Amino acid sequence: MASLTVENYLKTIYQIINGQDGRPATTGQVSSALGVAPGTVTSMLKTLDAAQLAAHRPYEGVVLLPAGEALALRVLRRHRLLELFLMRTLDMTWDEVHDEAEHMEHAVSDLLVERMDAFLGRPDVDPHGDPIPRTDGRLREEPPTRTLAECVQGETFTLARVLDQSPEFLRYLTEMGLTLGVAGTVAENPHGAGVMLIHVDQRPIAMSLETAASLAVSAES
């Protein structure tokens, strides 16, 4: 059974690689994400390499090998199902569930995870729109999305995923009435202005393009 530390490293490496079109994760990226010293990361990457969970090449970065990716997806499955379970059954908000799931994801059994999945109706995504890996580790085929910042005037959109999942950002979205599945229209997105205007439930909302770039939406003209 993999240790908590190994699971955290594999999950972090997977998320970094997945967020940059498959490019290897660098030691600096892993260090920043986990909040540990680069030297500590280098030592662990050598351990993962020796265990054939990852392939680490100095100055090039690290990629996951099949066994490491399978374990990373297993941890992500636990984490994302726990987030959704806590939100639906205990009325926790989407800015609260991440830290709680982090504490629990290494302790729950496969049996409990399977029961939660069935209880929740085999959901495809977690409270933030991230895909939930299936029992066999496969991910559902995600519908095409782009960031809200890329949408132009007149386009309608549906919020599909939140890329910045910091509690502060999630609370801001809640205050703005921007939750998963909410529909809206781009009223203005002037080139070079740095600010766009959207309408949600006939309410105007102005937001920076930086904020809009953290929202993945399905959009149509």
Side-chain angles (χ1 to χ4, degrees), residues 96-142:
E96 296 173 328
V97 294
H98 174 76
D99 286 347
E100 295 301 328
E102 282 282 308
H103 297 314
M104 301 169 66
E105 66 186 30
H106 306 288
V108 293
S109 67
D110 290 339
L111 175 61
L112 181 56
V113 171
E114 173 60 24
R115 294 289 175 86
M116 286 193 298
D117 192 21
F119 177 82
L120 294 168
R122 310 292 182 190
D124 287 324
V125 298
D126 74 2
H128 313 105
D130 290 329
I132 297 173
R134 305 186 193 282
T135 306
D136 60 7
R138 291 184 301 114
L139 290 170
R140 74 182 181 102
E141 185 175 342
E142 295 183 69

Coordinates of all heavy atoms in Angstrom, one line a residue, residues 96-142:
E96 N -15.4 24.8 1.1 CA -15.0 24.1 2.4 C -14.5 22.7 2.2 O -13.8 22.1 3.0 CB -16.2 24.1 3.3 CG -16.6 25.5 3.8 CD -17.9 25.4 4.7 OE1 -18.7 24.5 4.4 OE2 -18.0 26.3 5.6
V97 N -15.0 22.1 1.1 CA -14.8 20.6 1.0 C -13.4 20.1 0.6 O -13.0 19.0 0.9 CB -15.8 20.0 0.0 CG1 -17.3 20.2 0.5 CG2 -15.7 20.7 -1.4
H98 N -12.6 21.0 0.0 CA -11.3 20.5 -0.5 C -10.4 20.1 0.7 O -9.9 19.0 0.7 CB -10.6 21.6 -1.3 CG -9.2 21.2 -1.7 ND1 -8.9 20.4 -2.7 CD2 -8.0 21.6 -1.1 CE1 -7.6 20.2 -2.8 NE2 -7.0 21.0 -1.9
D99 N -10.3 21.0 1.7 CA -9.4 20.6 2.8 C -9.8 19.4 3.5 O -9.0 18.6 4.0 CB -9.3 21.8 3.7 CG -8.4 23.0 3.2 OD1 -7.7 22.7 2.2 OD2 -8.5 24.1 3.7
E100 N -11.2 19.3 3.7 CA -11.7 18.1 4.4 C -11.4 16.8 3.6 O -11.0 15.8 4.2 CB -13.2 18.3 4.7 CG -13.6 19.4 5.6 CD -12.9 19.3 7.0 OE1 -12.8 18.1 7.4 OE2 -12.6 20.3 7.6
A101 N -11.6 16.9 2.3 CA -11.3 15.7 1.5 C -9.8 15.4 1.5 O -9.5 14.2 1.4 CB -11.8 16.0 0.0
E102 N -9.0 16.4 1.6 CA -7.5 16.2 1.6 C -7.2 15.3 2.8 O -6.3 14.4 2.8 CB -6.8 17.5 1.7 CG -6.6 18.2 0.4 CD -5.5 17.6 -0.5 OE1 -4.4 17.5 0.0 OE2 -5.9 17.3 -1.6
H103 N -7.8 15.6 4.0 CA -7.6 14.8 5.2 C -8.1 13.4 5.1 O -7.5 12.5 5.7 CB -8.2 15.5 6.4 CG -7.7 16.9 6.7 ND1 -6.3 17.2 6.7 CD2 -8.3 18.1 7.0 CE1 -6.2 18.5 7.0 NE2 -7.3 19.0 7.1
M104 N -9.2 13.2 4.4 CA -9.9 11.9 4.4 C -9.5 11.0 3.3 O -9.7 9.8 3.4 CB -11.4 12.1 4.3 CG -11.9 13.0 5.5 SD -13.7 13.5 5.2 CE -14.5 11.9 5.2
E105 N -8.9 11.5 2.2 CA -8.7 10.7 1.0 C -7.8 9.6 1.1 O -7.8 8.6 0.4 CB -8.2 11.6 -0.2 CG -6.8 12.2 0.0 CD -6.4 13.2 -1.0 OE1 -7.3 13.8 -1.6 OE2 -5.2 13.3 -1.3
H106 N -6.9 9.6 2.1 CA -5.9 8.5 2.3 C -6.4 7.5 3.2 O -5.8 6.4 3.4 CB -4.6 9.1 2.8 CG -4.0 10.2 2.0 ND1 -3.5 10.0 0.7 CD2 -4.0 11.5 2.2 CE1 -3.1 11.1 0.2 NE2 -3.4 12.1 1.1
A107 N -7.6 7.7 3.9 CA -8.0 6.8 4.9 C -9.2 6.0 4.5 O -9.5 4.9 5.0 CB -8.4 7.6 6.2
V108 N -10.0 6.4 3.5 CA -11.2 5.7 3.1 C -10.9 4.5 2.3 O -9.9 4.4 1.6 CB -12.2 6.6 2.3 CG1 -12.7 7.7 3.2 CG2 -11.5 7.2 1.1
S109 N -11.7 3.4 2.5 CA -11.5 2.2 1.8 C -12.1 2.2 0.5 O -13.0 3.0 0.2 CB -12.1 1.0 2.6 OG -13.5 1.1 2.7
D110 N -11.7 1.3 -0.4 CA -12.2 1.2 -1.7 C -13.7 0.9 -1.6 O -14.5 1.3 -2.5 CB -11.5 0.1 -2.5 CG -10.1 0.5 -2.9 OD1 -9.8 1.7 -2.9 OD2 -9.3 -0.4 -3.2
L111 N -14.1 0.1 -0.6 CA -15.5 -0.3 -0.5 C -16.3 0.9 -0.2 O -17.4 1.1 -0.7 CB -15.7 -1.3 0.7 CG -17.1 -1.7 1.1 CD1 -17.8 -2.3 -0.1 CD2 -17.1 -2.6 2.3
L112 N -15.8 1.8 0.7 CA -16.6 3.0 1.1 C -16.7 4.0 -0.1 O -17.7 4.6 -0.3 CB -15.9 3.7 2.3 CG -16.6 5.0 2.8 CD1 -18.0 4.7 3.1 CD2 -15.8 5.6 3.9
V113 N -15.6 4.1 -0.9 CA -15.6 4.9 -2.1 C -16.6 4.4 -3.1 O -17.4 5.2 -3.6 CB -14.2 5.0 -2.7 CG1 -14.3 5.7 -4.1 CG2 -13.2 5.7 -1.8
E114 N -16.7 3.1 -3.3 CA -17.7 2.5 -4.2 C -19.1 2.8 -3.7 O -20.0 3.2 -4.5 CB -17.5 1.0 -4.3 CG -18.5 0.3 -5.1 CD -18.6 0.8 -6.5 OE1 -17.7 1.3 -7.1 OE2 -19.7 0.6 -7.1
R115 N -19.4 2.7 -2.4 CA -20.7 3.0 -1.8 C -21.1 4.4 -2.0 O -22.2 4.8 -2.3 CB -20.7 2.6 -0.4 CG -20.6 1.1 -0.1 CD -21.8 0.3 -0.5 NE -21.6 -1.1 -0.4 CZ -21.8 -1.8 0.8 NH1 -22.2 -1.2 1.9 NH2 -21.6 -3.1 0.8
M116 N -20.1 5.3 -1.8 CA -20.4 6.8 -2.0 C -20.7 7.0 -3.5 O -21.6 7.8 -3.8 CB -19.2 7.6 -1.6 CG -19.0 7.7 -0.1 SD -17.8 9.0 0.3 CE -16.3 8.4 -0.4
D117 N -20.0 6.4 -4.4 CA -20.2 6.6 -5.8 C -21.6 6.2 -6.2 O -22.4 6.9 -6.9 CB -19.2 5.8 -6.6 CG -19.2 6.2 -8.1 OD1 -19.6 7.3 -8.4 OD2 -18.7 5.4 -8.9
A118 N -22.0 5.0 -5.7 CA -23.4 4.5 -6.0 C -24.4 5.4 -5.3 O -25.5 5.8 -5.9 CB -23.5 3.1 -5.4
F119 N -24.2 5.8 -4.1 CA -25.2 6.7 -3.4 C -25.4 8.0 -4.1 O -26.5 8.6 -4.2 CB -24.6 7.0 -2.0 CG -25.5 7.9 -1.1 CD1 -26.6 7.5 -0.5 CD2 -25.1 9.3 -1.0 CE1 -27.4 8.3 0.2 CE2 -25.9 10.1 -0.3 CZ -27.1 9.7 0.3
L120 N -24.3 8.6 -4.7 CA -24.3 9.8 -5.4 C -24.9 9.7 -6.8 O -25.0 10.7 -7.5 CB -23.0 10.5 -5.4 CG -22.4 10.9 -4.0 CD1 -20.9 11.3 -4.1 CD2 -23.2 12.1 -3.4
G121 N -25.1 8.5 -7.3 CA -25.7 8.3 -8.6 C -24.6 8.2 -9.7 O -24.9 8.6 -10.8
R122 N -23.4 7.8 -9.4 CA -22.3 7.7 -10.3 C -22.0 9.0 -11.0 O -22.1 9.1 -12.3 CB -22.6 6.6 -11.4 CG -23.0 5.2 -10.8 CD -21.9 4.6 -10.1 NE -22.3 3.2 -9.6 CZ -21.6 2.5 -8.8 NH1 -20.4 2.9 -8.4 NH2 -22.0 1.3 -8.4
P123 N -21.7 10.0 -10.3 CA -21.5 11.4 -10.9 C -20.3 11.4 -11.8 O -19.4 10.7 -11.6 CB -21.4 12.3 -9.7 CG -20.8 11.4 -8.6 CD -21.4 10.0 -8.8
D124 N -20.4 12.3 -12.7 CA -19.2 12.5 -13.7 C -18.2 13.6 -13.2 O -17.1 13.5 -13.5 CB -19.8 13.0 -15.0 CG -20.4 11.8 -15.8 OD1 -20.0 10.7 -15.7 OD2 -21.4 12.1 -16.5
V125 N -18.7 14.6 -12.4 CA -17.8 15.6 -12.0 C -18.0 15.9 -10.5 O -19.0 15.6 -9.9 CB -18.1 16.9 -12.8 CG1 -17.8 16.7 -14.3 CG2 -19.5 17.4 -12.6
D126 N -17.0 16.6 -9.9 CA -17.0 17.0 -8.5 C -17.7 18.4 -8.4 O -18.1 18.9 -9.4 CB -15.6 16.9 -7.9 CG -14.7 18.0 -8.3 OD1 -15.1 18.9 -9.1 OD2 -13.5 18.0 -7.9
P127 N -17.7 19.0 -7.2 CA -18.4 20.3 -7.0 C -17.8 21.4 -7.8 O -18.4 22.4 -8.0 CB -18.3 20.5 -5.5 CG -18.2 19.2 -4.9 CD -17.4 18.4 -5.9
H128 N -16.5 21.2 -8.3 CA -15.8 22.3 -9.1 C -15.8 22.0 -10.6 O -15.2 22.8 -11.3 CB -14.4 22.5 -8.5 CG -14.3 22.5 -7.0 ND1 -13.9 21.5 -6.3 CD2 -14.7 23.5 -6.2 CE1 -14.0 21.8 -5.0 NE2 -14.5 23.0 -4.9
G129 N -16.5 20.9 -11.0 CA -16.5 20.6 -12.4 C -15.4 19.7 -12.8 O -15.3 19.3 -14.0
D130 N -14.5 19.2 -11.9 CA -13.4 18.3 -12.3 C -13.9 16.9 -12.5 O -14.8 16.5 -11.7 CB -12.3 18.3 -11.2 CG -11.6 19.6 -11.1 OD1 -11.4 20.3 -12.1 OD2 -11.1 19.9 -10.0
P131 N -13.5 16.2 -13.5 CA -14.0 14.9 -13.8 C -13.6 13.9 -12.7 O -12.5 13.9 -12.2 CB -13.3 14.5 -15.1 CG -12.1 15.3 -15.2 CD -12.4 16.6 -14.5
I132 N -14.5 13.0 -12.4 CA -14.3 12.0 -11.4 C -13.9 10.7 -12.1 O -14.7 10.1 -12.9 CB -15.5 11.7 -10.5 CG1 -15.9 13.0 -9.8 CG2 -15.3 10.5 -9.6 CD1 -17.2 12.9 -9.0
P133 N -12.7 10.2 -11.9 CA -12.3 8.9 -12.5 C -13.2 7.8 -12.2 O -13.7 7.7 -11.0 CB -10.9 8.7 -11.9 CG -10.4 10.0 -11.5 CD -11.6 10.8 -11.0
R134 N -13.4 6.9 -13.1 CA -14.3 5.7 -12.9 C -13.5 4.7 -12.1 O -12.3 4.9 -11.8 CB -14.8 5.2 -14.2 CG -15.5 6.2 -15.0 CD -16.1 5.5 -16.3 NE -16.6 6.5 -17.2 CZ -17.7 7.2 -17.1 NH1 -18.5 7.1 -16.1 NH2 -18.0 8.1 -18.1
T135 N -14.1 3.6 -11.7 CA -13.5 2.6 -10.9 C -12.2 2.0 -11.6 O -11.2 1.7 -11.0 CB -14.5 1.4 -10.6 OG1 -15.6 1.9 -10.0 CG2 -13.8 0.4 -9.7
D136 N -12.3 1.9 -12.9 CA -11.2 1.4 -13.7 C -10.1 2.4 -14.0 O -9.2 2.2 -14.7 CB -11.6 0.7 -15.0 CG -12.4 1.7 -15.9 OD1 -12.4 2.9 -15.6 OD2 -12.9 1.2 -16.9
G137 N -10.3 3.6 -13.5 CA -9.3 4.7 -13.7 C -9.6 5.6 -14.9 O -8.9 6.6 -15.1
R138 N -10.5 5.1 -15.8 CA -10.8 5.9 -17.0 C -11.5 7.2 -16.6 O -12.3 7.3 -15.6 CB -11.7 5.1 -17.9 CG -11.0 4.0 -18.6 CD -12.0 3.3 -19.6 NE -13.2 2.9 -19.0 CZ -14.4 3.4 -19.3 NH1 -14.5 4.4 -20.1 NH2 -15.5 2.9 -18.7
L139 N -11.3 8.3 -17.4 CA -12.0 9.5 -17.3 C -13.1 9.6 -18.4 O -12.8 9.2 -19.5 CB -11.1 10.7 -17.3 CG -10.1 10.9 -16.2 CD1 -9.0 11.9 -16.5 CD2 -10.8 11.3 -14.9
R140 N -14.2 10.2 -18.0 CA -15.2 10.4 -19.0 C -14.7 11.3 -20.1 O -13.8 12.2 -19.8 CB -16.5 10.9 -18.4 CG -16.4 12.4 -18.0 CD -17.7 12.9 -17.4 NE -17.6 14.3 -17.0 CZ -18.1 15.3 -17.7 NH1 -18.8 15.0 -18.8 NH2 -17.9 16.6 -17.4
E141 N -15.2 11.2 -21.3 CA -14.8 12.2 -22.3 C -15.5 13.5 -22.0 O -16.7 13.6 -22.0 CB -15.3 11.6 -23.7 CG -14.8 12.5 -24.8 CD -15.2 11.9 -26.2 OE1 -15.5 10.7 -26.3 OE2 -15.1 12.7 -27.2
E142 N -14.7 14.5 -21.8 CA -15.2 15.8 -21.4 C -15.7 16.6 -22.7 O -15.0 16.6 -23.7 CB -14.1 16.6 -20.7 CG -13.7 16.0 -19.4 CD -12.7 16.9 -18.7 OE1 -13.1 18.0 -18.2 OE2 -11.5 16.6 -18.6

